[in-house]
Amino acid sequence: MSAKLFHSSSKSNYFPWFYIFQGCVVAFFLLTLFGPVFPMYMDALGLSKSQIGALLAVPHFLAIFSLLFVGVVARHGPKRIFISISVMRTVFISGLLFLPWLSSLLGPRGVFLAAALMIAAFALCRAIGDTGFFPWEKEMLPDRTRGKVYAVNGIVCGIVAFATSGAAVWTLRGVGGVTGFRTLIALGIVFNIIGLWALSAVRGGRPAPPVVRQAPLAEILAALRNTNFRRYLAGNGIFLMACGVFPFMPLFLREHLG
């Protein structure tokens, strides 16, 4: 792709970079916190299943704090906030690579507390970054093509998820143990950096012009009066509850089915 693609005013030229970003983010999440690698890594470091479950709950709990940063995102620009905060979240999640060293010094309890702090910092950054990403995404994907872009993105992300899972299996068979998990996490971090580089090529996401805003609680209540929005929240909540069991699937298969 030529350099002109980076600075083209046509929004359709942004789509390849959008797909690269989304594919890299899928690989990043699968290999770090939201895939099967993380619970197996924590299990290898001696954490109990209740501790692993508590760590996995932290990102969902801290997502509520995104409401506090809506004004900050609007003033400084969704793109600037998302890119900068996403770099910070990458730094925090990189701390997972050093947990084996802490395990030798502090034991499983120390690993749990350190991992909780790292994940909390990561989750807070993710909540703020997503507050910037979604309005920027709406700007970069025109209404008339958003459905088609999402369809293609689903195919791209599905292929990436399949390839990432296969590569993870191959890596753990070849390396194995804690070193194998650390290798996969490091690879996920590299994918995240590549994805952020790709998305930085997309224009838009500038600060919003000053407007007279309602109090935050009033704005939230106004949104909740929308019936479709309430249905979306209910469906999304049920979906997240259903997905909550899958992180433990690798441990179940290994312990009970071999």
Side-chain angles (χ1 to χ4, degrees):
M1 297 179 183
S2 65
K4 292 182 179 179
L5 189 58
F6 277 80
H7 304 290
S8 173
S9 60
S10 175
K11 290 185 177 180
S12 61
N13 285 337
Y14 297 157
F15 297 165
W17 303 108
F18 178 79
Y19 298 142
I20 293 172
F21 165 75
Q22 292 285 4
C24 288
V25 166
V26 167
F28 168 65
F29 282 146
L30 282 176
L31 295 176
T32 53
L33 191 57
F34 297 105
V37 173
F38 179 77
M40 296 180 69
Y41 181 41
M42 295 296 102
D43 181 70
L45 293 177
L47 270 66
S48 66
K49 293 181 178 61
S50 60
Q51 290 175 321
I52 296 173
L55 293 177
L56 292 172
V58 171
H60 302 291
F61 175 75
L62 292 183
I64 193 173
F65 288 97
S66 61
L67 297 172
L68 303 176
F69 297 93
V70 175
V72 176
V73 171
R75 286 194 303 271
H76 296 279
K79 178 178 180 178
R80 177 185 299 177
I81 291 294
F82 177 75
I83 296 295
S84 59
I85 290 295
S86 294
V87 171
M88 292 177 60
R89 80 179 184 185
T90 306
V91 173
F92 288 126
I93 207 66
S94 298
L96 296 178
L97 299 173
F98 302 97
L99 290 180
W101 176 72
L102 290 177
S103 178
S104 63
L105 294 176
L106 305 176
R109 181 177 177 82
V111 170
F112 172 74
L113 294 176
L117 291 175
M118 295 172 190
I119 294 173
F122 167 85
L124 186 59
C125 289
R126 178 171 175 256
I128 300 172
D130 285 351
T131 305
F133 176 74
F134 289 117
W136 184 24
E137 181 190 51
K138 184 174 177 60
E139 181 182 351
M140 73 176 78
L141 302 181
D143 292 341
R144 66 181 183 278
T145 59
R146 186 173 296 118
K148 294 180 180 179
V149 172
Y150 282 166
V152 174
N153 184 62
I155 296 173
V156 171
C157 292
I159 294 173
V160 171
F162 180 81
T164 302
S165 300
V169 171
W170 179 81
T171 301
L172 291 177
R173 284 179 177 175
V175 182
V178 171
T179 303
F181 295 128
R182 294 176 68 191
T183 301
L184 292 175
I185 292 173
L187 184 61
I189 292 170
V190 171
F191 274 115
N192 188 57
I193 295 172
I194 296 173
L196 293 176
W197 169 82
L199 198 66
S200 66
V202 180
R203 286 185 174 182
R206 296 180 178 179
V211 294
V212 178
R213 302 180 62 90
Q214 295 178 298
L217 180 60
E219 292 183 337
I220 295 172
L221 293 177
L224 290 176
R225 295 189 188 100
N226 187 298
T227 303
N228 286 333
F229 184 60
R230 292 199 302 270
R231 290 173 178 169
Y232 167 78
L233 291 179
N236 196 44
I238 294 172
F239 175 78
L240 289 176
M241 290 178 62
C243 292
V245 301
F246 288 110
F248 293 98
M249 185 70 72
L251 298 178
F252 172 80
L253 293 175
R254 186 182 64 186
E255 293 179 1
H256 296 279
L257 301 179

